Amino acid sequence: MSAQEFCQVVRKPRHQATGDTSLRVWVERPDGRDRIVAAEAHLVDVSRNGLQVQVNKLFATGEAIVVRIAGAAGLEVSLPGTVQWQRAAEKGAWSVGCSFPEPLAWETIGELFLNQILATDAPAH
């Protein structure tokens, strides 16, 4: 098999959220016109290049947002991103995929794991 016949797209690993009920997640617009646009959000997964949340509001593709995460142990993280896609989820919610302008720092991902916001076990397929 030649190199032209074989093409593989490498995707950064996605780390599933633990579903911790004490975790607070909300979405804001960075321009300050709407401080909180999605008060109820649930973190689904995170990679170095983006994240997925479920929210109670529909966004525009290409819209700039900031996802804020507050853990029970006092960790607070602000993750600016751009909406890349969205689709209807259950019970009137929306699944929204965002990309980060720069890859997320390894230290930030480590903090999310250490604070049990991201799961350490592999997702079931």
Side-chain angles (χ1 to χ4, degrees):
M1 179 182 300
S2 72
Q4 290 178 326
E5 296 173 330
F6 182 75
C7 180
Q8 181 178 6
V9 176
V10 178
R11 183 174 164 195
K12 302 281 186 203
R14 303 197 73 75
H15 308 288
Q16 299 297 312
T18 60
D20 181 357
T21 57
S22 66
L23 184 66
R24 288 186 37 239
V25 181
W26 66 99
V27 179
E28 297 179 355
R29 287 196 171 97
D31 61 11
R33 67 179 181 193
D34 286 330
R35 175 150 163 69
I36 299 176
V37 292
E40 290 191 30
H42 300 282
L43 186 64
V44 176
D45 61 35
V46 176
S47 76
R48 287 203 66 211
N49 294 332
L51 59 77
Q52 181 182 165
V53 291
Q54 280 197 344
V55 294
N56 57 359
K57 179 174 181 7
L58 185 63
F59 291 94
T61 301
E63 183 174 359
I65 61 173
V66 177
V67 177
R68 303 217 189 259
I69 302 169
L75 175 72
E76 291 192 24
V77 179
S78 296
L79 302 172
T82 303
V83 174
Q84 296 298 315
W85 58 267
Q86 54 194 339
R87 63 178 171 257
E90 56 190 44
K91 299 180 183 175
W94 294 91
S95 289
V96 176
C98 301
S99 64
F100 301 138
E102 304 267 332
L104 199 58
W106 288 112
E107 293 82 5
T108 303
I109 291 178
E111 286 294 322
L112 294 172
F113 276 110
L114 288 172
N115 284 275
Q116 299 178 347
I117 294 169
L118 298 179
T120 56
D121 41 337
H125 292 283

